[in-house]
Each structure stands twice: as C-alpha cells, then as structure tokens.
Amino acid sequence: AQSPTTMKGLCHLLPAIVAVVSLVLATLAADDLVTATCQDSVACADVDTGRYPTWEDAPTSAEEFGHDNPEEICRLPIISLRKWEAGKFWRYDQPFLVTNVTDDWPAMQNFAKREFLRRYPDVVVGMGSSRELGQTGPDDAGDALKKTTIEDYVLNVMHDPEQDKYVFDRKLNIPDGLVEDCQPYPQPLRWFREDPLGVLGSNLTPNKLWKDHLALTIGRDQQGLTFHRHNAALNIVLFGKKRW
C-alpha cells in the first residue's frame, strides 16, 4: 500500500477509522518482539476486535467531504519517497504528500486491527476530546489526559457516541516492537537517529529541527484536533483517511 504522507505543519482534521502515527523519531524502552502474527488464525483466535473486525469496517464519512474546488487551489505536491530524499524537500517551507514511505514497514501488517490488539493491548495511552487536547497541548497530553490502554480504548471508547475521546499521546510506554514496526524511517528522521549530535550541531533553525518523539493517534470517523500549528513534522496515515 502507498500511504500518502504529509510533511510540515498543517491543520489536523478528521482522521477517519484510524491508526495514525505522527512520527518524528523514537528512542524508547525495549521489549520482546512478538514473532507469531494474525496471519495464523490460531494465534488470534481469542483476540476481541469489538463491533468492527477491521479498521476499514468502521463507519466512514470520507465521501461526504468532497468539493468542487479547482485542483490548483488545494492540490499539494505529490512526490515519491525517493524524490523526497534525493531532493531534500524537507528544507522547503511548504507541505508535501510523499508516497511509498510505508512500503517496507512491518506496521502495515502489525497495525492491522486484530494483530495490533494482540501485540499491544496493554500499552497505556492518554485520551481526550479535541478541546482537551488543544488546550493541554500535545507535549503535555500524556501526563494530563485520562489514561487508558489501547485495548480498552478500541473496544470500549473509540465508537461510543457518548464518549468523544481519541488517543493522541507522545509519552507512551511504547514497547520496542511498536517502534520497530515503523522502520525504515525516511530522511531526515534516519539522520537524527543515526547521528543525533550531528543534527543538533547543524545550522537548522528550531522550527526545522526534527524532534525525537513519536506520537500515536487512534480515533473514529470525524475526530481530530482543532486548527493549530507546529514545527516540522511527518504525519503518516496507516489505516483510514486523513482530511487536511
């Protein structure tokens, strides 16, 4: 699958049926990798996925948000990962859509709903409403928002109309396997991981300095942050659609 990937700071709106990884870099606690996968029906026989077996089976309103604007008004440049890296397009002050980023990522299998719940059910995350997340700020969200586990959120909160909560957490107790599922990083993330001192000693201005954190977002249709801005970032949609 070629997941469109958006660079730079845009407003995050309406991530539908998601497992969205807002990825800038992660160097987090190690844990044992899970080797069996849900390709083996026996391995996942006891995994509860809730009312919708897959992310894609959940309700979506993506088709309702079409528009008749001319392409030149809203079209962002779409380039391949190879072109992004060869041209060092992260140096430009504009957003891009980059394809092929996740072609070799284990996450394309391991973040499928049943497999994701089997591997990472007990990972503790923070959840909140758009207002709570916006007022708290993403850097503090992990400490200030209500705590839950990935399993509890997906099964009991995600599609509950009485609970307008979604996961947006940068301070996860992420097992190493979850981080490794999102490899190989595209540039300039690999540069930061391979030579962090070199990046910090470069002449990059603070607004273009790629940070050393990973944020995981999970939510149902039409959830997302209110209009906001941030510094250089890479947002990758693994499952579902993201409206910008």
Side-chain angles (χ1 to χ4, degrees):
Q2 294 185 2
S3 298
T5 303
T6 305
M7 299 290 178
K8 299 290 185 180
L10 293 173
C11 55
H12 303 249
L13 296 174
L14 309 177
I17 37 170
V18 296
V20 176
V21 177
S22 296
L23 180 56
V24 190
L25 182 67
T27 54
L28 300 164
D31 197 1
D32 292 334
L33 295 175
V34 180
T35 54
T37 71
C38 282
Q39 304 301 319
D40 176 4
S41 59
V42 175
C44 288
D46 296 327
V47 176
D48 183 5
T49 58
R51 70 182 74 176
Y52 305 110
T54 69
W55 303 120
E56 294 84 356
D57 290 327
T60 175
S61 59
E63 294 182 0
E64 298 177 20
F65 291 96
H67 53 72
D68 297 321
N69 292 339
E71 287 191 358
E72 61 268 20
I73 292 179
C74 55
R75 172 68 71 184
L76 296 175
I78 301 176
I79 60 177
S80 68
L81 175 61
R82 178 176 296 181
K83 184 174 181 179
W84 162 263
E85 294 187 338
K88 298 183 178 180
F89 281 86
W90 55 86
R91 299 178 301 179
Y92 295 86
D93 290 322
Q94 70 176 100
F96 292 90
L97 296 176
V98 184
T99 62
N100 308 99
V101 172
T102 64
D103 281 0
D104 297 319
W105 279 22
M108 297 308 297
Q109 289 75 45
N110 296 344
F111 282 21
K113 189 175 184 181
R114 188 175 298 274
E115 179 69 7
F116 190 61
L117 289 171
R118 187 180 77 88
R119 287 173 174 255
Y120 308 116
D122 300 322
V123 172
V124 176
V125 295
M127 65 177 180
S129 66
S130 294
R131 183 181 180 86
E132 290 170 326
L133 289 166
Q135 290 181 339
T136 304
D139 287 320
D140 297 322
D143 292 328
L145 300 178
K146 183 177 180 180
K147 299 294 192 299
T148 185
T149 64
I150 285 178
E151 181 179 56
D152 179 63
Y153 174 78
V154 171
L155 298 186
N156 302 315
V157 180
M158 184 173 178
H159 295 289
D160 182 352
E162 302 299 320
Q163 302 188 67
D164 184 23
K165 307 286 187 182
Y166 73 105
V167 168
F168 187 95
D169 201 324
R170 286 183 179 173
K171 296 181 179 178
L172 298 166
N173 180 25
I174 299 180
D176 191 58
L178 194 152
V179 177
E180 294 305 316
D181 284 342
C182 300
Q183 302 290 330
Y185 289 144
Q187 293 287 29
L189 307 184
R190 287 200 310 277
W191 179 31
F192 197 110
R193 194 178 200 196
E194 294 166 0
D195 185 18
L197 294 180
V199 175
L200 293 173
S202 68
N203 60 357
L204 290 174
T205 58
N207 67 309
K208 293 183 179 180
L209 187 63
W210 295 75
K211 309 298 183 180
D212 58 345
H213 61 250
L214 176 146
L216 177 70
T217 304
I218 309 173
R220 66 174 180 269
D221 187 41
Q222 297 193 46
Q223 287 186 313
L225 289 183
T226 54
F227 189 86
H228 67 285
R229 67 169 298 279
H230 52 71
N231 292 332
L234 167 65
N235 293 275
I236 300 176
V237 180
L238 295 178
F239 296 94
K241 296 180 184 295
K242 192 176 184 76
R243 180 176 171 83
W244 296 92

